[in-house]
Amino acid sequence: MSLTAGVVAVQGDVAEHAAAIERAAAARDRDVTVREIRESGLVPDCDLLAMPGGESTTISRLVHSEGIAPEIRAHVEAGKPLLATCAGLIVASSDPNDNRVEELGLLDVSVERNAFGRQKDSFEAPLAVDGLEDPYPAVFIRAPAIDDVAGGDARVLASWDDRPVAVKQGTVVGTAFHPELTPDSRIHGLAFFENETATVPALEDAQQVD
Ligand code: GLN
Protein backbone atom coordinates (compact mmCIF):
# COMPACT_ATOMS: atom_id res chain seq x y z
CA MET A 1 0.00 0.00 0.00
CA SER A 2 1.37 3.35 -1.05
CA LEU A 3 1.67 6.16 1.45
CA THR A 4 0.89 9.79 0.78
CA ALA A 5 3.29 12.30 2.28
CA GLY A 6 2.76 16.03 2.39
CA VAL A 7 5.44 18.70 2.58
CA VAL A 8 4.15 22.10 3.63
CA ALA A 9 5.42 24.13 0.70
CA VAL A 10 4.69 27.73 1.56
CA GLN A 11 8.45 28.26 2.07
CA GLY A 12 11.65 26.31 2.69
CA ASP A 13 13.45 23.16 1.54
CA VAL A 14 10.51 21.40 -0.01
CA ALA A 15 12.32 19.27 -2.62
CA GLU A 16 14.95 18.23 -0.07
CA HIS A 17 12.30 17.05 2.40
CA ALA A 18 10.51 15.19 -0.39
CA ALA A 19 13.76 13.43 -1.33
CA ALA A 20 14.51 12.55 2.31
CA ILE A 21 11.02 11.08 2.76
CA GLU A 22 11.48 9.04 -0.44
CA ARG A 23 14.89 7.76 0.78
CA ALA A 24 13.51 6.83 4.21
CA ALA A 25 10.57 5.02 2.58
CA ALA A 26 12.78 3.22 0.04
CA ALA A 27 15.05 2.00 2.85
CA ARG A 28 11.97 0.21 4.22
CA ASP A 29 10.60 -0.96 0.88
CA ARG A 30 7.65 1.39 1.20
CA ASP A 31 6.06 3.26 -1.69
CA VAL A 32 5.41 6.91 -1.07
CA THR A 33 3.92 9.71 -3.12
CA VAL A 34 4.96 13.16 -1.97
CA ARG A 35 2.66 16.14 -2.41
CA GLU A 36 3.49 19.78 -1.94
CA ILE A 37 1.00 21.52 0.32
CA ARG A 38 0.35 25.13 -0.66
CA GLU A 39 -3.38 25.26 -0.12
CA SER A 40 -6.04 23.72 2.05
CA GLY A 41 -7.77 20.48 1.13
CA LEU A 42 -4.67 18.30 0.61
CA VAL A 43 -3.50 17.56 4.16
CA PRO A 44 -6.52 15.35 4.99
CA ASP A 45 -5.29 12.82 2.39
CA CYS A 46 -1.76 12.68 3.82
CA ASP A 47 -0.50 9.83 5.98
CA LEU A 48 2.52 11.84 7.07
CA LEU A 49 3.53 15.47 6.98
CA ALA A 50 6.72 17.55 7.06
CA MET A 51 6.86 21.24 7.88
CA PRO A 52 10.21 22.65 6.66
CA GLY A 53 12.31 25.52 7.94
CA GLY A 54 12.49 29.00 6.46
CA GLU A 55 11.22 32.04 8.32
CA SER A 56 8.75 31.19 11.05
CA THR A 57 6.98 34.56 10.77
CA THR A 58 6.22 33.93 7.08
CA ILE A 59 5.35 30.26 7.48
CA SER A 60 2.91 30.89 10.33
CA ARG A 61 1.25 33.73 8.41
CA LEU A 62 0.80 31.61 5.29
CA VAL A 63 -0.39 28.38 6.93
CA HIS A 64 -3.04 30.40 8.73
CA SER A 65 -4.10 32.55 5.78
CA GLU A 66 -4.29 29.53 3.46
CA GLY A 67 -6.39 27.53 5.90
CA ILE A 68 -3.71 24.85 6.26
CA ALA A 69 -3.18 25.40 10.01
CA PRO A 70 -6.40 23.71 11.22
CA GLU A 71 -5.71 20.79 8.87
CA ILE A 72 -2.23 20.29 10.36
CA ARG A 73 -3.81 20.28 13.83
CA ALA A 74 -6.43 17.75 12.72
CA HIS A 75 -3.69 15.58 11.16
CA VAL A 76 -1.89 15.42 14.52
CA GLU A 77 -5.13 14.93 16.45
CA ALA A 78 -5.82 11.93 14.20
CA GLY A 79 -2.53 10.42 15.43
CA LYS A 80 -0.62 10.86 12.17
CA PRO A 81 3.08 11.80 12.19
CA LEU A 82 4.44 15.31 11.68
CA LEU A 83 8.10 16.28 11.38
CA ALA A 84 8.60 20.00 12.03
CA THR A 85 12.08 21.33 11.36
CA CYS A 86 13.75 24.60 12.35
CA ALA A 87 11.22 27.37 11.58
CA GLY A 88 8.65 24.54 11.35
CA LEU A 89 9.50 23.64 14.96
CA ILE A 90 8.97 27.28 15.99
CA VAL A 91 5.53 27.30 14.33
CA ALA A 92 4.61 23.91 15.85
CA SER A 93 5.64 25.00 19.37
CA SER A 94 3.30 26.28 22.05
CA ASP A 95 5.36 29.43 22.62
CA PRO A 96 7.63 31.01 19.98
CA ASN A 97 8.48 33.94 22.31
CA ASP A 98 7.71 36.24 19.40
CA ASN A 99 4.28 37.71 18.81
CA ARG A 100 4.84 37.81 15.04
CA VAL A 101 4.59 34.02 15.02
CA GLU A 102 1.16 32.49 15.48
CA GLU A 103 1.95 29.09 16.94
CA LEU A 104 0.12 25.82 16.31
CA GLY A 105 0.63 24.49 19.85
CA LEU A 106 1.44 20.94 18.75
CA LEU A 107 4.55 20.61 20.91
CA ASP A 108 4.48 21.73 24.55
CA VAL A 109 7.74 23.64 24.28
CA SER A 110 8.79 27.24 24.27
CA VAL A 111 11.55 28.16 21.86
CA GLU A 112 14.08 30.92 21.34
CA ARG A 113 14.53 31.97 17.73
CA ASN A 114 18.11 32.33 16.43
CA ALA A 115 19.40 30.98 19.73
CA PHE A 116 22.93 30.03 18.78
CA GLY A 117 24.29 33.53 18.15
CA ARG A 118 25.88 35.26 15.20
CA GLN A 119 29.22 33.52 15.32
CA LYS A 120 27.40 30.26 15.06
CA ASP A 121 24.80 31.28 12.49
CA SER A 122 25.36 28.02 10.63
CA PHE A 123 27.19 24.96 11.81
CA GLU A 124 27.18 21.21 11.59
CA ALA A 125 27.34 19.07 14.71
CA PRO A 126 27.56 15.33 15.32
CA LEU A 127 24.44 14.97 17.41
CA ALA A 128 23.61 12.07 19.70
CA VAL A 129 19.91 11.44 19.10
CA ASP A 130 17.81 9.17 21.26
CA GLY A 131 16.71 6.28 19.04
CA LEU A 132 19.64 6.51 16.59
CA GLU A 133 22.70 4.35 17.06
CA ASP A 134 25.36 6.66 15.60
CA PRO A 135 25.60 10.45 15.82
CA TYR A 136 23.51 12.35 13.31
CA PRO A 137 25.25 15.05 11.18
CA ALA A 138 22.94 17.91 12.13
CA VAL A 139 23.00 21.12 10.06
CA PHE A 140 21.92 24.19 12.04
CA ILE A 141 21.03 27.40 10.18
CA ARG A 142 19.99 30.38 12.33
CA ALA A 143 18.49 27.69 14.47
CA PRO A 144 16.14 28.00 17.39
CA ALA A 145 16.74 26.25 20.69
CA ILE A 146 14.12 24.80 22.94
CA ASP A 147 13.88 26.80 26.16
CA ASP A 148 11.48 24.86 28.19
CA VAL A 149 9.76 21.50 28.06
CA ALA A 150 8.48 21.75 31.64
CA GLY A 151 4.96 20.68 32.40
CA GLY A 152 4.28 19.22 28.97
CA ASP A 153 4.54 15.83 27.33
CA ALA A 154 7.46 16.64 25.04
CA ARG A 155 10.48 14.36 25.45
CA VAL A 156 13.96 15.61 24.59
CA LEU A 157 15.64 13.47 21.89
CA ALA A 158 18.83 15.50 21.51
CA SER A 159 20.64 18.49 22.99
CA TRP A 160 23.51 20.68 21.79
CA ASP A 161 25.40 23.15 23.99
CA ASP A 162 23.17 21.94 26.85
CA ARG A 163 20.07 23.12 25.00
CA PRO A 164 17.40 20.74 23.68
CA VAL A 165 17.37 20.72 19.86
CA ALA A 166 15.09 17.76 19.11
CA VAL A 167 11.90 16.72 20.84
CA LYS A 168 9.10 14.25 20.40
CA GLN A 169 5.56 14.46 21.66
CA GLY A 170 3.13 11.78 20.58
CA THR A 171 3.44 11.58 16.79
CA VAL A 172 5.16 14.96 16.45
CA VAL A 173 8.94 15.25 16.11
CA GLY A 174 10.50 18.71 16.14
CA THR A 175 14.12 19.48 15.30
CA ALA A 176 16.00 22.78 15.50
CA PHE A 177 18.28 21.54 12.71
CA HIS A 178 17.70 20.65 9.05
CA PRO A 179 17.59 16.87 8.56
CA GLU A 180 16.69 17.34 4.88
CA LEU A 181 20.09 18.85 4.08
CA THR A 182 22.19 15.71 4.47
CA PRO A 183 21.89 12.40 2.62
CA ASP A 184 21.25 10.78 6.03
CA SER A 185 17.48 10.19 6.22
CA ARG A 186 17.44 8.64 9.69
CA ILE A 187 15.53 11.55 11.26
CA HIS A 188 12.78 11.21 8.64
CA GLY A 189 12.84 7.47 9.30
CA LEU A 190 12.52 8.05 13.04
CA ALA A 191 9.69 10.56 12.66
CA PHE A 192 7.68 8.67 10.06
CA PHE A 193 8.42 4.97 10.26
CA GLU A 194 9.67 4.26 13.77
CA ASN A 195 7.13 6.31 15.61
CA GLU A 196 5.46 3.90 18.01
CA THR A 197 2.23 5.86 18.18
CA ALA A 198 2.04 6.71 14.49
CA THR A 199 -0.74 5.32 12.37
CA VAL A 200 1.21 4.95 9.14
CA PRO A 201 -0.22 1.66 7.89
CA ALA A 202 2.25 -1.11 8.65
CA LEU A 203 3.72 -3.14 5.83
CA GLU A 204 2.23 -6.33 7.28
CA ASP A 205 -1.26 -4.80 7.08
CA ALA A 206 -0.60 -3.77 3.52
CA GLN A 207 0.44 -7.27 2.58
CA GLN A 208 -2.76 -8.72 3.98
CA VAL A 209 -4.82 -6.61 1.60
CA ASP A 210 -4.27 -8.47 -1.63
N1 GLN B 1 15.74 31.86 12.00
C1 GLN B 1 14.53 31.34 11.43
C2 GLN B 1 13.32 31.75 12.24
O1 GLN B 1 13.48 32.17 13.35
C3 GLN B 1 14.59 29.83 11.33
C4 GLN B 1 15.73 29.45 10.44
C5 GLN B 1 15.52 28.18 9.68
O2 GLN B 1 14.42 27.64 9.55
N2 GLN B 1 16.62 27.73 9.14
O3 GLN B 1 12.23 31.68 11.79
Side-chain angles (χ1 to χ4, degrees), residues 8-97:
V8 176
V10 295
Q11 207 199 21
D13 303 323
V14 177
E16 291 84 349
H17 269 289
I21 293 168
E22 283 164 359
R23 281 197 304 276
R28 292 161 178 83
D29 273 334
R30 304 298 306 266
D31 279 336
V32 68
T33 306
V34 184
R35 288 193 181 156
E36 299 188 0
I37 310 292
R38 290 199 178 80
E39 60 202 31
S40 61
L42 299 173
V43 172
D45 292 332
C46 292
D47 298 303
L48 47 99
L49 205 55
M51 186 154 58
E55 207 58 49
S56 49
T57 319
T58 308
I59 295 172
S60 78
R61 182 167 46 78
L62 290 172
V63 294
H64 284 93
S65 67
E66 294 304 317
I68 301 168
E71 297 182 346
I72 299 174
R73 282 205 193 93
H75 174 93
V76 171
E77 274 160 23
K80 298 180 189 173
L82 167 71
L83 172 61
T85 62
C86 203
L89 159 69
I90 299 169
V91 175
S93 75
S94 56
D95 186 0
N97 281 307

Side-chain angles (χ1 to χ4, degrees), residues 33-191:
T33 306
V34 184
R35 288 193 181 156
E36 299 188 0
I37 310 292
R38 290 199 178 80
E39 60 202 31
S40 61
L42 299 173
V43 172
D45 292 332
C46 292
D47 298 303
L48 47 99
L49 205 55
M51 186 154 58
E55 207 58 49
S56 49
T57 319
T58 308
I59 295 172
S60 78
R61 182 167 46 78
L62 290 172
V63 294
H64 284 93
S65 67
E66 294 304 317
I68 301 168
E71 297 182 346
I72 299 174
R73 282 205 193 93
H75 174 93
V76 171
E77 274 160 23
K80 298 180 189 173
L82 167 71
L83 172 61
T85 62
C86 203
L89 159 69
I90 299 169
V91 175
S93 75
S94 56
D95 186 0
N97 281 307
D98 186 330
N99 56 20
R100 292 168 300 174
V101 180
E102 199 183 329
E103 71 278 1
L104 292 173
L106 300 172
L107 288 165
D108 294 336
V109 297
S110 66
V111 298
E112 183 192 343
R113 294 179 68 182
N114 305 311
F116 290 94
R118 290 198 178 184
Q119 263 73 50
K120 284 172 142 191
D121 238 11
S122 279
F123 60 99
E124 186 173 323
L127 201 63
V129 179
D130 200 9
L132 301 184
E133 240 166 68
D134 300 315
Y136 185 83
V139 176
F140 292 81
I141 303 169
R142 298 189 317 283
I146 293 158
D147 267 345
D148 194 9
V149 293
D153 292 329
R155 180 164 67 81
V156 176
L157 296 180
S159 296
W160 188 254
D161 263 1
D162 291 329
R163 309 194 72 172
V165 290
V167 285
K168 176 172 177 0
Q169 180 172 346
T171 56
V172 184
V173 172
T175 70
F177 54 90
H178 285 261
E180 77 285 7
L181 292 183
T182 57
D184 187 331
S185 62
R186 285 180 297 158
I187 296 290
H188 288 76
L190 191 70

